Each structure stands twice: as C-alpha cells, then as structure tokens.
C-alpha cells in the first residue's frame, strides 16, 4: 500500500508529493529572489541575516546548507568560514541548485554544490559544525527523518538552524490569510506566471508544524537546548538546537 502525505491541502502519495514539490520549484526558480522580495516586502533578508548571526560561523568551520536554493546563506557562510572552511550548498531541486550555483559563481564564491535529499544525506557522521535549512523543511515528506539526518551529520557541539514560515500571532491571522490566499497567488501569476505554486506556498505554511510542535520534533530527533525566535509576529521562526 502506498503511503500518503499532504501537498498543501491535498492528500497525495508520498511519491507524488516529491514530484509535485519538484514542479513548484522548477517553475519558480528563475523568479525566486524577486518573488521573495515582493511577497515579504524584503523581510526575508532580515530573517536570513538573523539566522546567519545566530549561526556564528567562524573561520575553518564545516557548514551544510540544506535546501540552499539561490544561495543566500551559503554565500554568507562561505565568506565567514574562509578558505580554511568548507561550505556545502545543497538542494533536492536541480533548477534551484543551478540558479544558486550560478549566483555564487557570479559573486566569485567557489564552494561545493550538490544535489541531495535531506532525508538521506550523503555525508559521514559528526562532520559539520553547523547545519542550516531555510524555508525547506516544510516541503520535506518525512520531517522527522530529515531532522534525525541533520543531527547525525553534526559534530558534538554543532548547531542546527531551521528558518521556516510558522504560525502567525492570533491578531494578525485574518489579514494574513487574506494576503496569503488572495494577494500571493495574484503576485505569483503576475511576476512568475504561476499562481498555483504560490497557492501551494500558502497552504504548505498552514500544514507545517507550529513553533512548539517543531521544537518537540527537534528534541525527539535528539537535539538539546532547542529554542525558537519568532520573527515578524511569527510569520517566520528560527529554531536552533545543539548536538551534545
């Protein structure tokens, strides 16, 4: 029997979810940065800057950027880790990975780039000082398995950082819903020629675990000192955990 999961509000087979998520990101890759700036009014850059500051990458660090997309975090980490460090820019989607790789090269940053699945990371145990995933966890089919893999590849004392859309504060829920289900698909159609992918984005955010649930999932994966920081009233949240 084929296992099922959610793709936005739809129930689909796990195999179909992988294919549908891939279609979304193949479709939006070329306009991804432009759409991020428009739909968050540039706030995603502040959220990522906060994440980079919390990572506190130092020269010589080994860093894994999962769902690295267009390379914002990889770029910052590579500069901080320096020539003695090692920063892997990875993504499961080839279109996003190519876009990010080209952007990194255009900025003069040469760092390893790999197509890989976060649920089956091709790295040894206890290898990385930092692992990050920004706006990618909610698209993963087996989030618990992905979190366990992220912990596995961290060194003892290493830190996992998960930046993701989360549950917005109650007073903002209604206007946020109107924006998410009316404005976002309209922007997606106008800018990227794809309303459905941005309708999926809104739905996937609602299906993603809230702040406390994700904290518990990270603890269940074996991470310690798990905490989270609400960003912009919970529109996004940064979760961090340590491997001891």
């Amino acid at each position: 029997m084929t296992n099922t999961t959610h793709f936005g509000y739809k129930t689909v087979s796990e195999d179909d979810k992988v294919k549908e998520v891939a279609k979304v990101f193949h479709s939006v890759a070329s306009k991804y940065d432009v759409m991020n700036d428009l739909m968050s009014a540039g706030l995603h850059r502040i959220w990522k800057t906060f994440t980079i500051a919390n990572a506190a990458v130092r020269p010589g660090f080994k860093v894994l950027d999962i769902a690295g997309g267009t390379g914002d975090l990889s770029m910052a980490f590579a500069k901080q880790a320096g020539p003695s460090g090692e920063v892997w820019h990875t993504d499961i989607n080839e279109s996003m990975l190519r876009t990010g790789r080209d952007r990194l090269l255009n900025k003069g940053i040469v760092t390893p780039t790999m197509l890989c699945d976060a649920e089956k990371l091709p790295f040894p145990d206890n290898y990385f000082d930092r692992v990050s995933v920004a706006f990618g966890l909610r698209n993963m089919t087996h989030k618990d398995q992905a979190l366990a893999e992220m912990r596995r590849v961290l060194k003892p004392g290493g830190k996992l950082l998960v930046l993701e859309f989360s549950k917005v504060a109650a007073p903002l829920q209604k206007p946020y819903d109107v924006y998410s289900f009316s404005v976002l698909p309209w922007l997606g159609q106008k800018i990227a020629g794809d309303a459905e992918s941005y309708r999926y984005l809104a739905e996937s955010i609602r299906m993603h675990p809230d702040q406390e649930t994700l904290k518990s999932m990270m603890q269940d994966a074996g991470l310690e000192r798990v905490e989270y920081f609400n960003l912009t009233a919970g529109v996004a949240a940064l979760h961090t955990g340590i491997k001891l």
Side-chain angles (χ1 to χ4, degrees), residues 5-28 92-93 139-141 194 196-198 200-201 203-204:
T5 186
H6 58 81
F7 174 74
Y9 289 160
K10 300 174 186 174
T11 298
V12 298
S13 72
E14 291 182 351
D15 288 344
D16 284 345
K17 176 171 180 172
V18 172
K19 294 173 186 173
E20 291 300 320
V21 170
K23 285 181 190 175
V24 167
F25 287 97
H26 285 314
S27 173
V28 304
I92 197 171
N93 185 274
N139 297 311
M140 296 175 192
T141 303
D194 184 352
E196 285 305 310
S197 290
Y198 288 91
Y200 161 72
L201 168 64
E203 293 177 0
S204 70

PDB file of all heavy atoms in Angstrom, residues 5-28 92-93 139-141 194 196-198 200-201 203-204:
ATOM      1  N   THR A   5       0.582  11.497   2.104  1.00  0.00           N
ATOM      2  CA  THR A   5       1.003  12.672   2.861  1.00  0.00           C
ATOM      3  C   THR A   5       0.253  13.869   2.293  1.00  0.00           C
ATOM      4  O   THR A   5      -0.617  13.726   1.433  1.00  0.00           O
ATOM      5  CB  THR A   5       2.529  12.856   2.766  1.00  0.00           C
ATOM      6  OG1 THR A   5       2.936  13.919   3.633  1.00  0.00           O
ATOM      7  CG2 THR A   5       2.982  13.164   1.338  1.00  0.00           C
ATOM      8  N   HIS A   6       0.563  15.051   2.758  1.00  0.00           N
ATOM      9  CA  HIS A   6      -0.138  16.233   2.258  1.00  0.00           C
ATOM     10  C   HIS A   6       0.750  17.005   1.282  1.00  0.00           C
ATOM     11  O   HIS A   6       1.964  17.084   1.440  1.00  0.00           O
ATOM     12  CB  HIS A   6      -0.575  17.143   3.404  1.00  0.00           C
ATOM     13  CG  HIS A   6       0.563  17.621   4.274  1.00  0.00           C
ATOM     14  ND1 HIS A   6       1.383  18.670   3.930  1.00  0.00           N
ATOM     15  CD2 HIS A   6       1.013  17.176   5.473  1.00  0.00           C
ATOM     16  CE1 HIS A   6       2.287  18.865   4.860  1.00  0.00           C
ATOM     17  NE2 HIS A   6       2.092  17.968   5.818  1.00  0.00           N
ATOM     18  N   PHE A   7       0.122  17.540   0.260  1.00  0.00           N
ATOM     19  CA  PHE A   7       0.747  18.505  -0.642  1.00  0.00           C
ATOM     20  C   PHE A   7      -0.163  19.728  -0.587  1.00  0.00           C
ATOM     21  O   PHE A   7      -1.200  19.774  -1.239  1.00  0.00           O
ATOM     22  CB  PHE A   7       0.846  17.958  -2.071  1.00  0.00           C
ATOM     23  CG  PHE A   7       1.349  18.973  -3.064  1.00  0.00           C
ATOM     24  CD1 PHE A   7       2.687  19.337  -3.076  1.00  0.00           C
ATOM     25  CD2 PHE A   7       0.486  19.582  -3.970  1.00  0.00           C
ATOM     26  CE1 PHE A   7       3.158  20.279  -3.984  1.00  0.00           C
ATOM     27  CE2 PHE A   7       0.951  20.521  -4.878  1.00  0.00           C
ATOM     28  CZ  PHE A   7       2.289  20.876  -4.883  1.00  0.00           C
ATOM     29  N   GLY A   8       0.226  20.703   0.256  1.00  0.00           N
ATOM     30  CA  GLY A   8      -0.721  21.763   0.570  1.00  0.00           C
ATOM     31  C   GLY A   8      -1.905  21.142   1.296  1.00  0.00           C
ATOM     32  O   GLY A   8      -1.742  20.380   2.242  1.00  0.00           O
ATOM     33  N   TYR A   9      -3.111  21.420   0.824  1.00  0.00           N
ATOM     34  CA  TYR A   9      -4.313  20.872   1.446  1.00  0.00           C
ATOM     35  C   TYR A   9      -4.740  19.548   0.827  1.00  0.00           C
ATOM     36  O   TYR A   9      -5.693  18.933   1.284  1.00  0.00           O
ATOM     37  CB  TYR A   9      -5.472  21.872   1.327  1.00  0.00           C
ATOM     38  CG  TYR A   9      -5.332  23.105   2.199  1.00  0.00           C
ATOM     39  CD1 TYR A   9      -6.051  24.268   1.919  1.00  0.00           C
ATOM     40  CD2 TYR A   9      -4.484  23.115   3.309  1.00  0.00           C
ATOM     41  CE1 TYR A   9      -5.940  25.401   2.713  1.00  0.00           C
ATOM     42  CE2 TYR A   9      -4.360  24.243   4.103  1.00  0.00           C
ATOM     43  CZ  TYR A   9      -5.098  25.384   3.807  1.00  0.00           C
ATOM     44  OH  TYR A   9      -4.984  26.499   4.597  1.00  0.00           O
ATOM     45  N   LYS A  10      -4.043  19.103  -0.219  1.00  0.00           N
ATOM     46  CA  LYS A  10      -4.409  17.850  -0.880  1.00  0.00           C
ATOM     47  C   LYS A  10      -3.714  16.670  -0.197  1.00  0.00           C
ATOM     48  O   LYS A  10      -2.617  16.804   0.340  1.00  0.00           O
ATOM     49  CB  LYS A  10      -3.975  17.876  -2.356  1.00  0.00           C
ATOM     50  CG  LYS A  10      -4.598  18.983  -3.186  1.00  0.00           C
ATOM     51  CD  LYS A  10      -3.982  18.979  -4.580  1.00  0.00           C
ATOM     52  CE  LYS A  10      -4.474  20.164  -5.398  1.00  0.00           C
ATOM     53  NZ  LYS A  10      -3.766  20.250  -6.698  1.00  0.00           N
ATOM     54  N   THR A  11      -4.353  15.515  -0.252  1.00  0.00           N
ATOM     55  CA  THR A  11      -3.718  14.281   0.187  1.00  0.00           C
ATOM     56  C   THR A  11      -3.230  13.543  -1.054  1.00  0.00           C
ATOM     57  O   THR A  11      -4.003  13.280  -1.979  1.00  0.00           O
ATOM     58  CB  THR A  11      -4.713  13.390   0.964  1.00  0.00           C
ATOM     59  OG1 THR A  11      -5.143  14.103   2.134  1.00  0.00           O
ATOM     60  CG2 THR A  11      -4.049  12.091   1.392  1.00  0.00           C
ATOM     61  N   VAL A  12      -1.935  13.245  -1.064  1.00  0.00           N
ATOM     62  CA  VAL A  12      -1.319  12.608  -2.236  1.00  0.00           C
ATOM     63  C   VAL A  12      -0.410  11.491  -1.754  1.00  0.00           C
ATOM     64  O   VAL A  12      -0.074  11.394  -0.569  1.00  0.00           O
ATOM     65  CB  VAL A  12      -0.505  13.628  -3.072  1.00  0.00           C
ATOM     66  CG1 VAL A  12      -1.393  14.732  -3.628  1.00  0.00           C
ATOM     67  CG2 VAL A  12       0.627  14.226  -2.241  1.00  0.00           C
ATOM     68  N   SER A  13       0.018  10.642  -2.677  1.00  0.00           N
ATOM     69  CA  SER A  13       1.006   9.623  -2.313  1.00  0.00           C
ATOM     70  C   SER A  13       2.341  10.315  -2.061  1.00  0.00           C
ATOM     71  O   SER A  13       2.601  11.412  -2.568  1.00  0.00           O
ATOM     72  CB  SER A  13       1.156   8.595  -3.437  1.00  0.00           C
ATOM     73  OG  SER A  13       1.850   9.161  -4.543  1.00  0.00           O
ATOM     74  N   GLU A  14       3.192   9.653  -1.278  1.00  0.00           N
ATOM     75  CA  GLU A  14       4.493  10.250  -0.979  1.00  0.00           C
ATOM     76  C   GLU A  14       5.315  10.468  -2.246  1.00  0.00           C
ATOM     77  O   GLU A  14       5.993  11.487  -2.387  1.00  0.00           O
ATOM     78  CB  GLU A  14       5.252   9.364   0.010  1.00  0.00           C
ATOM     79  CG  GLU A  14       4.624   9.360   1.398  1.00  0.00           C
ATOM     80  CD  GLU A  14       5.397   8.529   2.397  1.00  0.00           C
ATOM     81  OE1 GLU A  14       6.342   7.814   1.987  1.00  0.00           O
ATOM     82  OE2 GLU A  14       5.079   8.600   3.595  1.00  0.00           O
ATOM     83  N   ASP A  15       5.241   9.528  -3.171  1.00  0.00           N
ATOM     84  CA  ASP A  15       5.978   9.679  -4.433  1.00  0.00           C
ATOM     85  C   ASP A  15       5.473  10.880  -5.222  1.00  0.00           C
ATOM     86  O   ASP A  15       6.262  11.630  -5.812  1.00  0.00           O
ATOM     87  CB  ASP A  15       5.852   8.410  -5.285  1.00  0.00           C
ATOM     88  CG  ASP A  15       6.659   7.255  -4.708  1.00  0.00           C
ATOM     89  OD1 ASP A  15       7.531   7.500  -3.850  1.00  0.00           O
ATOM     90  OD2 ASP A  15       6.403   6.103  -5.118  1.00  0.00           O
ATOM     91  N   ASP A  16       4.145  11.063  -5.226  1.00  0.00           N
ATOM     92  CA  ASP A  16       3.567  12.187  -5.959  1.00  0.00           C
ATOM     93  C   ASP A  16       3.945  13.524  -5.322  1.00  0.00           C
ATOM     94  O   ASP A  16       4.138  14.517  -6.028  1.00  0.00           O
ATOM     95  CB  ASP A  16       2.048  12.060  -6.037  1.00  0.00           C
ATOM     96  CG  ASP A  16       1.603  11.028  -7.057  1.00  0.00           C
ATOM     97  OD1 ASP A  16       2.438  10.624  -7.894  1.00  0.00           O
ATOM     98  OD2 ASP A  16       0.428  10.602  -7.018  1.00  0.00           O
ATOM     99  N   LYS A  17       4.052  13.554  -3.989  1.00  0.00           N
ATOM    100  CA  LYS A  17       4.450  14.816  -3.340  1.00  0.00           C
ATOM    101  C   LYS A  17       5.828  15.240  -3.806  1.00  0.00           C
ATOM    102  O   LYS A  17       6.048  16.422  -4.108  1.00  0.00           O
ATOM    103  CB  LYS A  17       4.429  14.684  -1.819  1.00  0.00           C
ATOM    104  CG  LYS A  17       4.937  15.979  -1.149  1.00  0.00           C
ATOM    105  CD  LYS A  17       4.753  16.028   0.334  1.00  0.00           C
ATOM    106  CE  LYS A  17       5.282  17.349   0.869  1.00  0.00           C
ATOM    107  NZ  LYS A  17       4.986  17.572   2.292  1.00  0.00           N
ATOM    108  N   VAL A  18       6.748  14.311  -3.855  1.00  0.00           N
ATOM    109  CA  VAL A  18       8.111  14.630  -4.305  1.00  0.00           C
ATOM    110  C   VAL A  18       8.063  15.249  -5.699  1.00  0.00           C
ATOM    111  O   VAL A  18       8.725  16.261  -5.976  1.00  0.00           O
ATOM    112  CB  VAL A  18       8.994  13.368  -4.294  1.00  0.00           C
ATOM    113  CG1 VAL A  18      10.344  13.649  -4.954  1.00  0.00           C
ATOM    114  CG2 VAL A  18       9.188  12.863  -2.872  1.00  0.00           C
ATOM    115  N   LYS A  19       7.268  14.652  -6.580  1.00  0.00           N
ATOM    116  CA  LYS A  19       7.167  15.158  -7.955  1.00  0.00           C
ATOM    117  C   LYS A  19       6.509  16.534  -8.001  1.00  0.00           C
ATOM    118  O   LYS A  19       6.931  17.418  -8.749  1.00  0.00           O
ATOM    119  CB  LYS A  19       6.368  14.170  -8.811  1.00  0.00           C
ATOM    120  CG  LYS A  19       7.054  12.822  -9.003  1.00  0.00           C
ATOM    121  CD  LYS A  19       6.137  11.850  -9.697  1.00  0.00           C
ATOM    122  CE  LYS A  19       6.749  10.450  -9.769  1.00  0.00           C
ATOM    123  NZ  LYS A  19       5.808   9.445 -10.299  1.00  0.00           N
ATOM    124  N   GLU A  20       5.443  16.716  -7.194  1.00  0.00           N
ATOM    125  CA  GLU A  20       4.712  17.987  -7.212  1.00  0.00           C
ATOM    126  C   GLU A  20       5.556  19.125  -6.638  1.00  0.00           C
ATOM    127  O   GLU A  20       5.542  20.239  -7.171  1.00  0.00           O
ATOM    128  CB  GLU A  20       3.393  17.850  -6.432  1.00  0.00           C
ATOM    129  CG  GLU A  20       2.357  16.963  -7.104  1.00  0.00           C
ATOM    130  CD  GLU A  20       1.960  17.471  -8.483  1.00  0.00           C
ATOM    131  OE1 GLU A  20       1.822  18.697  -8.649  1.00  0.00           O
ATOM    132  OE2 GLU A  20       1.802  16.636  -9.394  1.00  0.00           O
ATOM    133  N   VAL A  21       6.280  18.852  -5.553  1.00  0.00           N
ATOM    134  CA  VAL A  21       7.164  19.877  -4.997  1.00  0.00           C
ATOM    135  C   VAL A  21       8.247  20.242  -6.004  1.00  0.00           C
ATOM    136  O   VAL A  21       8.592  21.416  -6.181  1.00  0.00           O
ATOM    137  CB  VAL A  21       7.779  19.408  -3.659  1.00  0.00           C
ATOM    138  CG1 VAL A  21       8.889  20.363  -3.210  1.00  0.00           C
ATOM    139  CG2 VAL A  21       6.705  19.310  -2.582  1.00  0.00           C
ATOM    140  N   ALA A  22       8.779  19.239  -6.690  1.00  0.00           N
ATOM    141  CA  ALA A  22       9.801  19.499  -7.712  1.00  0.00           C
ATOM    142  C   ALA A  22       9.254  20.419  -8.799  1.00  0.00           C
ATOM    143  O   ALA A  22       9.938  21.356  -9.232  1.00  0.00           O
ATOM    144  CB  ALA A  22      10.280  18.184  -8.323  1.00  0.00           C
ATOM    145  N   LYS A  23       8.000  20.171  -9.241  1.00  0.00           N
ATOM    146  CA  LYS A  23       7.390  21.020 -10.269  1.00  0.00           C
ATOM    147  C   LYS A  23       7.297  22.464  -9.809  1.00  0.00           C
ATOM    148  O   LYS A  23       7.549  23.402 -10.572  1.00  0.00           O
ATOM    149  CB  LYS A  23       5.979  20.513 -10.598  1.00  0.00           C
ATOM    150  CG  LYS A  23       5.913  19.264 -11.443  1.00  0.00           C
ATOM    151  CD  LYS A  23       4.455  18.927 -11.701  1.00  0.00           C
ATOM    152  CE  LYS A  23       4.295  17.554 -12.325  1.00  0.00           C
ATOM    153  NZ  LYS A  23       2.856  17.185 -12.463  1.00  0.00           N
ATOM    154  N   VAL A  24       6.909  22.664  -8.536  1.00  0.00           N
ATOM    155  CA  VAL A  24       6.787  24.016  -7.993  1.00  0.00           C
ATOM    156  C   VAL A  24       8.102  24.761  -8.133  1.00  0.00           C
ATOM    157  O   VAL A  24       8.156  25.880  -8.644  1.00  0.00           O
ATOM    158  CB  VAL A  24       6.351  23.973  -6.505  1.00  0.00           C
ATOM    159  CG1 VAL A  24       6.542  25.345  -5.847  1.00  0.00           C
ATOM    160  CG2 VAL A  24       4.904  23.521  -6.389  1.00  0.00           C
ATOM    161  N   PHE A  25       9.191  24.137  -7.717  1.00  0.00           N
ATOM    162  CA  PHE A  25      10.459  24.857  -7.699  1.00  0.00           C
ATOM    163  C   PHE A  25      11.125  24.932  -9.064  1.00  0.00           C
ATOM    164  O   PHE A  25      11.858  25.882  -9.342  1.00  0.00           O
ATOM    165  CB  PHE A  25      11.374  24.270  -6.619  1.00  0.00           C
ATOM    166  CG  PHE A  25      10.911  24.645  -5.236  1.00  0.00           C
ATOM    167  CD1 PHE A  25      10.130  23.785  -4.492  1.00  0.00           C
ATOM    168  CD2 PHE A  25      11.198  25.895  -4.725  1.00  0.00           C
ATOM    169  CE1 PHE A  25       9.666  24.147  -3.231  1.00  0.00           C
ATOM    170  CE2 PHE A  25      10.743  26.275  -3.468  1.00  0.00           C
ATOM    171  CZ  PHE A  25       9.982  25.401  -2.719  1.00  0.00           C
ATOM    172  N   HIS A  26      10.866  23.967  -9.944  1.00  0.00           N
ATOM    173  CA  HIS A  26      11.309  24.123 -11.335  1.00  0.00           C
ATOM    174  C   HIS A  26      10.632  25.351 -11.946  1.00  0.00           C
ATOM    175  O   HIS A  26      11.235  26.109 -12.695  1.00  0.00           O
ATOM    176  CB  HIS A  26      10.959  22.885 -12.157  1.00  0.00           C
ATOM    177  CG  HIS A  26      11.837  21.696 -11.892  1.00  0.00           C
ATOM    178  ND1 HIS A  26      13.210  21.793 -11.815  1.00  0.00           N
ATOM    179  CD2 HIS A  26      11.534  20.386 -11.676  1.00  0.00           C
ATOM    180  CE1 HIS A  26      13.726  20.592 -11.557  1.00  0.00           C
ATOM    181  NE2 HIS A  26      12.723  19.728 -11.463  1.00  0.00           N
ATOM    182  N   SER A  27       9.352  25.544 -11.588  1.00  0.00           N
ATOM    183  CA  SER A  27       8.570  26.633 -12.155  1.00  0.00           C
ATOM    184  C   SER A  27       9.032  28.006 -11.673  1.00  0.00           C
ATOM    185  O   SER A  27       9.095  28.953 -12.449  1.00  0.00           O
ATOM    186  CB  SER A  27       7.080  26.434 -11.814  1.00  0.00           C
ATOM    187  OG  SER A  27       6.320  27.548 -12.216  1.00  0.00           O
ATOM    188  N   VAL A  28       9.356  28.111 -10.380  1.00  0.00           N
ATOM    189  CA  VAL A  28       9.602  29.440  -9.795  1.00  0.00           C
ATOM    190  C   VAL A  28      11.080  29.800  -9.682  1.00  0.00           C
ATOM    191  O   VAL A  28      11.397  30.926  -9.289  1.00  0.00           O
ATOM    192  CB  VAL A  28       8.946  29.557  -8.398  1.00  0.00           C
ATOM    193  CG1 VAL A  28       7.455  29.243  -8.474  1.00  0.00           C
ATOM    194  CG2 VAL A  28       9.634  28.660  -7.371  1.00  0.00           C
ATOM    195  N   ILE A  92      17.527  19.648  -3.190  1.00  0.00           N
ATOM    196  CA  ILE A  92      16.979  18.473  -3.864  1.00  0.00           C
ATOM    197  C   ILE A  92      16.477  18.811  -5.257  1.00  0.00           C
ATOM    198  O   ILE A  92      16.255  17.935  -6.088  1.00  0.00           O
ATOM    199  CB  ILE A  92      15.842  17.838  -3.023  1.00  0.00           C
ATOM    200  CG1 ILE A  92      15.555  16.402  -3.499  1.00  0.00           C
ATOM    201  CG2 ILE A  92      14.587  18.719  -3.039  1.00  0.00           C
ATOM    202  CD1 ILE A  92      14.603  15.635  -2.601  1.00  0.00           C
ATOM    203  N   ASN A  93      16.312  20.129  -5.524  1.00  0.00           N
ATOM    204  CA  ASN A  93      15.757  20.577  -6.802  1.00  0.00           C
ATOM    205  C   ASN A  93      16.856  21.120  -7.706  1.00  0.00           C
ATOM    206  O   ASN A  93      17.552  22.077  -7.348  1.00  0.00           O
ATOM    207  CB  ASN A  93      14.687  21.645  -6.561  1.00  0.00           C
ATOM    208  CG  ASN A  93      13.992  22.057  -7.843  1.00  0.00           C
ATOM    209  OD1 ASN A  93      14.476  22.930  -8.555  1.00  0.00           O
ATOM    210  ND2 ASN A  93      12.885  21.420  -8.153  1.00  0.00           N
ATOM    211  N   ASN A 139       8.627  21.457   3.036  1.00  0.00           N
ATOM    212  CA  ASN A 139       8.410  20.722   1.790  1.00  0.00           C
ATOM    213  C   ASN A 139       8.865  19.268   1.876  1.00  0.00           C
ATOM    214  O   ASN A 139       8.651  18.516   0.922  1.00  0.00           O
ATOM    215  CB  ASN A 139       9.154  21.416   0.641  1.00  0.00           C
ATOM    216  CG  ASN A 139       8.637  22.816   0.376  1.00  0.00           C
ATOM    217  OD1 ASN A 139       7.437  23.025   0.266  1.00  0.00           O
ATOM    218  ND2 ASN A 139       9.541  23.780   0.281  1.00  0.00           N
ATOM    219  N   MET A 140       9.484  18.903   2.990  1.00  0.00           N
ATOM    220  CA  MET A 140      10.010  17.541   3.120  1.00  0.00           C
ATOM    221  C   MET A 140       8.906  16.588   3.566  1.00  0.00           C
ATOM    222  O   MET A 140       8.087  16.931   4.420  1.00  0.00           O
ATOM    223  CB  MET A 140      11.179  17.528   4.098  1.00  0.00           C
ATOM    224  CG  MET A 140      12.365  18.353   3.601  1.00  0.00           C
ATOM    225  SD  MET A 140      13.701  18.461   4.812  1.00  0.00           S
ATOM    226  CE  MET A 140      14.704  19.754   4.060  1.00  0.00           C
ATOM    227  N   THR A 141       8.908  15.392   3.000  1.00  0.00           N
ATOM    228  CA  THR A 141       7.847  14.427   3.281  1.00  0.00           C
ATOM    229  C   THR A 141       7.976  13.856   4.682  1.00  0.00           C
ATOM    230  O   THR A 141       7.003  13.786   5.432  1.00  0.00           O
ATOM    231  CB  THR A 141       7.885  13.287   2.243  1.00  0.00           C
ATOM    232  OG1 THR A 141       7.774  13.868   0.935  1.00  0.00           O
ATOM    233  CG2 THR A 141       6.731  12.317   2.458  1.00  0.00           C
ATOM    234  N   ASP A 194       2.710  32.015 -12.495  1.00  0.00           N
ATOM    235  CA  ASP A 194       2.358  30.762 -11.838  1.00  0.00           C
ATOM    236  C   ASP A 194       1.633  31.053 -10.526  1.00  0.00           C
ATOM    237  O   ASP A 194       2.266  31.259  -9.488  1.00  0.00           O
ATOM    238  CB  ASP A 194       3.631  29.947 -11.575  1.00  0.00           C
ATOM    239  CG  ASP A 194       3.350  28.582 -10.967  1.00  0.00           C
ATOM    240  OD1 ASP A 194       2.188  28.315 -10.609  1.00  0.00           O
ATOM    241  OD2 ASP A 194       4.303  27.796 -10.850  1.00  0.00           O
ATOM    242  N   GLU A 196      -0.553  28.891  -9.073  1.00  0.00           N
ATOM    243  CA  GLU A 196      -0.751  27.660  -8.305  1.00  0.00           C
ATOM    244  C   GLU A 196       0.412  27.377  -7.354  1.00  0.00           C
ATOM    245  O   GLU A 196       0.208  26.893  -6.239  1.00  0.00           O
ATOM    246  CB  GLU A 196      -0.967  26.474  -9.245  1.00  0.00           C
ATOM    247  CG  GLU A 196      -2.348  26.455  -9.881  1.00  0.00           C
ATOM    248  CD  GLU A 196      -3.470  26.494  -8.853  1.00  0.00           C
ATOM    249  OE1 GLU A 196      -3.427  25.689  -7.901  1.00  0.00           O
ATOM    250  OE2 GLU A 196      -4.367  27.332  -8.976  1.00  0.00           O
ATOM    251  N   SER A 197       1.627  27.650  -7.775  1.00  0.00           N
ATOM    252  CA  SER A 197       2.779  27.395  -6.913  1.00  0.00           C
ATOM    253  C   SER A 197       2.710  28.246  -5.653  1.00  0.00           C
ATOM    254  O   SER A 197       3.099  27.807  -4.563  1.00  0.00           O
ATOM    255  CB  SER A 197       4.084  27.671  -7.656  1.00  0.00           C
ATOM    256  OG  SER A 197       4.299  26.689  -8.651  1.00  0.00           O
ATOM    257  N   TYR A 198       2.202  29.473  -5.786  1.00  0.00           N
ATOM    258  CA  TYR A 198       2.127  30.352  -4.623  1.00  0.00           C
ATOM    259  C   TYR A 198       0.884  30.076  -3.787  1.00  0.00           C
ATOM    260  O   TYR A 198       0.867  30.371  -2.592  1.00  0.00           O
ATOM    261  CB  TYR A 198       2.259  31.808  -5.072  1.00  0.00           C
ATOM    262  CG  TYR A 198       3.688  32.062  -5.480  1.00  0.00           C
ATOM    263  CD1 TYR A 198       4.094  31.883  -6.804  1.00  0.00           C
ATOM    264  CD2 TYR A 198       4.654  32.374  -4.537  1.00  0.00           C
ATOM    265  CE1 TYR A 198       5.426  32.045  -7.168  1.00  0.00           C
ATOM    266  CE2 TYR A 198       5.985  32.543  -4.896  1.00  0.00           C
ATOM    267  CZ  TYR A 198       6.369  32.374  -6.210  1.00  0.00           C
ATOM    268  OH  TYR A 198       7.689  32.517  -6.555  1.00  0.00           O
ATOM    269  N   TYR A 200       0.064  26.929  -3.359  1.00  0.00           N
ATOM    270  CA  TYR A 200       0.655  25.823  -2.602  1.00  0.00           C
ATOM    271  C   TYR A 200       1.500  26.358  -1.447  1.00  0.00           C
ATOM    272  O   TYR A 200       1.469  25.807  -0.337  1.00  0.00           O
ATOM    273  CB  TYR A 200       1.520  24.932  -3.499  1.00  0.00           C
ATOM    274  CG  TYR A 200       2.488  24.084  -2.702  1.00  0.00           C
ATOM    275  CD1 TYR A 200       2.036  23.002  -1.946  1.00  0.00           C
ATOM    276  CD2 TYR A 200       3.852  24.397  -2.645  1.00  0.00           C
ATOM    277  CE1 TYR A 200       2.910  22.247  -1.177  1.00  0.00           C
ATOM    278  CE2 TYR A 200       4.730  23.647  -1.874  1.00  0.00           C
ATOM    279  CZ  TYR A 200       4.258  22.576  -1.143  1.00  0.00           C
ATOM    280  OH  TYR A 200       5.119  21.855  -0.367  1.00  0.00           O
ATOM    281  N   LEU A 201       2.265  27.423  -1.683  1.00  0.00           N
ATOM    282  CA  LEU A 201       3.089  28.009  -0.623  1.00  0.00           C
ATOM    283  C   LEU A 201       2.223  28.364   0.578  1.00  0.00           C
ATOM    284  O   LEU A 201       2.549  28.010   1.721  1.00  0.00           O
ATOM    285  CB  LEU A 201       3.799  29.261  -1.147  1.00  0.00           C
ATOM    286  CG  LEU A 201       4.464  30.148  -0.084  1.00  0.00           C
ATOM    287  CD1 LEU A 201       5.588  29.404   0.614  1.00  0.00           C
ATOM    288  CD2 LEU A 201       4.980  31.439  -0.703  1.00  0.00           C
ATOM    289  N   GLU A 203      -0.727  27.216   1.398  1.00  0.00           N
ATOM    290  CA  GLU A 203      -1.283  26.014   2.016  1.00  0.00           C
ATOM    291  C   GLU A 203      -0.210  25.256   2.801  1.00  0.00           C
ATOM    292  O   GLU A 203      -0.464  24.764   3.911  1.00  0.00           O
ATOM    293  CB  GLU A 203      -1.891  25.110   0.949  1.00  0.00           C
ATOM    294  CG  GLU A 203      -3.129  25.696   0.282  1.00  0.00           C
ATOM    295  CD  GLU A 203      -3.681  24.817  -0.826  1.00  0.00           C
ATOM    296  OE1 GLU A 203      -3.105  23.737  -1.078  1.00  0.00           O
ATOM    297  OE2 GLU A 203      -4.689  25.209  -1.444  1.00  0.00           O
ATOM    298  N   SER A 204       0.999  25.168   2.251  1.00  0.00           N
ATOM    299  CA  SER A 204       2.063  24.404   2.914  1.00  0.00           C
ATOM    300  C   SER A 204       2.454  25.045   4.239  1.00  0.00           C
ATOM    301  O   SER A 204       2.828  24.344   5.185  1.00  0.00           O
ATOM    302  CB  SER A 204       3.289  24.277   1.996  1.00  0.00           C
ATOM    303  OG  SER A 204       3.951  25.525   1.834  1.00  0.00           O
TER     304      SER A 204
END
